[in-house]
Amino acid sequence: MSRPALEVRDVTKTYVGHPPTPVLHGVDLSVGAGERVAIFGSSGSGKSTLLNILGLLDVPTSGAYDLLGQDTCALSSSTRAKHRASALGFVFQEHHVLGARTVAENLAIKLAISGVGRRGRADLVRDALTQVGLTHRRNAPGRLLSGGEKQRLAVARAILTQPPVLLADEPTGNLDRANADNILDLFDSQARKGVAVVVITHDPTTARWADRALELDGGRLRLGAHG
C-alpha cells in the first residue's frame, strides 16, 4: 500500500495564554495521492489552525505530522520553509493578486521568490495559464480581472511548480456558483494527476464534491454529514 501524501496522527494544539487555549484535540487525518478531502466546520472550530499545521506554518503541541513520508514536527524553520515551497501549493479565499502586475508577471514573481531561474520561468508560466484557461489574459493587469479570473490565477500560482499537495482555504467563498464550479473542476484536474487536494470550506456543494467530507467540531475531526 502506498504511503499517504500527508498524515496527521493524534495532533493537538494549545495556544499559550492565561488560561491556555486548546484548539485541536487528538486529530487524525490521512490523505492519499489524488484524493480530494473537504474539511468544514463552524467558525472557531479549529479549521484555520489545522490548515496552518498542514501548511507547515505552525507546529502541533503534540502528535505527529508526516508530509510525503517526512516527519515535519522536528524540522528547523528553514527546512520547513523549503518543504513548504517544494511540496505545497496554497489557494486562499483572498486571492492576493498584484493589481499593478500582469497575469504573467504575478506568476513570474512567485517563481522568482521560489528560486526558479529566469530561463525556466516562461514555460512554467505558460503551462500553468493553459491549465486554468487564462492564456488569453496573460498580459492583462491583475486589477482588471474578474473575481473568478483572479481565483483561477490564484490556482495557477499554487500549481506553478507542480507540488504534490494542494491546500485551499475557502477557495470558492467569494464566487458565484459557475465560477466556484470552475475552481472545483481545476482541483479535479490536479487530483487526476495524483495531487492530494485538501479544501477548507463552508460550502455544502464543495463538501459534496469531495471524495471525503470531514467535520471539525470542537477541535475534533469526524466524518461529516456531507461525506
Side-chain angles (χ1 to χ4, degrees):
M1 187 176 186
S2 61
R3 72 184 184 193
L6 63 86
E7 185 174 20
V8 168
R9 299 185 301 278
D10 199 24
V11 156
T12 70
K13 182 65 179 181
T14 298
Y15 290 105
V16 176
H18 302 285
T21 304
V23 179
L24 299 178
H25 306 278
V27 170
D28 294 305
L29 174 64
S30 180
V31 182
E35 189 176 10
R36 305 165 304 164
V37 172
I39 298 173
F40 65 97
S42 60
S43 296
S45 62
K47 300 189 303 299
S48 295
T49 297
L50 179 58
L51 188 69
N52 285 341
I53 290 173
L54 297 180
L56 299 180
L57 298 169
D58 200 355
V59 294
T61 301
S62 65
Y65 174 32
D66 292 353
L67 178 62
L68 304 179
Q70 170 72 60
D71 179 4
T72 66
C73 292
L75 298 178
S76 67
S77 58
S78 60
T79 303
R80 289 169 63 82
K82 290 178 182 177
H83 278 280
R84 187 163 57 246
S86 63
L88 300 170
F90 294 88
V91 182
F92 300 103
Q93 182 175 0
E94 300 299 330
H95 29 69
H96 305 303
V97 168
L98 300 176
R101 299 284 190 162
T102 68
V103 166
E105 287 170 342
N106 267 269
L107 299 184
I109 289 170
K110 164 67 184 301
L111 291 173
I113 293 171
S114 299
V116 177
R118 187 180 299 273
R119 298 180 68 178
R121 295 175 199 168
D123 288 345
L124 290 173
V125 169
R126 183 183 62 249
D127 290 347
L129 291 179
T130 298
Q131 289 185 63
V132 302
L134 280 180
T135 302
H136 66 296
R137 299 287 272 162
R138 63 172 294 118
N139 295 318
R143 67 178 180 274
L144 298 183
L145 300 182
S146 68
E149 288 173 333
K150 287 178 180 177
Q151 197 62 309
R152 282 154 62 194
L153 176 55
V155 174
R157 188 172 54 213
I159 65 175
L160 261 178
T161 55
Q162 302 175 1
V165 176
L166 190 61
L167 304 176
D169 187 7
E170 296 286 356
T172 62
N174 288 331
L175 301 178
D176 60 36
R177 190 70 258 159
N179 278 309
D181 288 343
N182 286 337
I183 296 301
L184 296 181
D185 287 344
L186 292 174
F187 291 164
D188 282 337
S189 70
Q190 293 303 303
R192 287 193 293 269
K193 295 175 183 178
V195 175
V197 182
V198 179
V199 178
I200 301 294
T201 186
H202 281 102
D203 178 19
T205 300
T206 300
R208 288 191 294 269
W209 156 87
D211 298 312
R212 279 189 294 149
L214 305 173
E215 183 177 10
L216 194 57
D217 182 23
R220 301 182 187 278
L221 197 62
R222 63 190 183 192
L223 185 65
H226 301 294

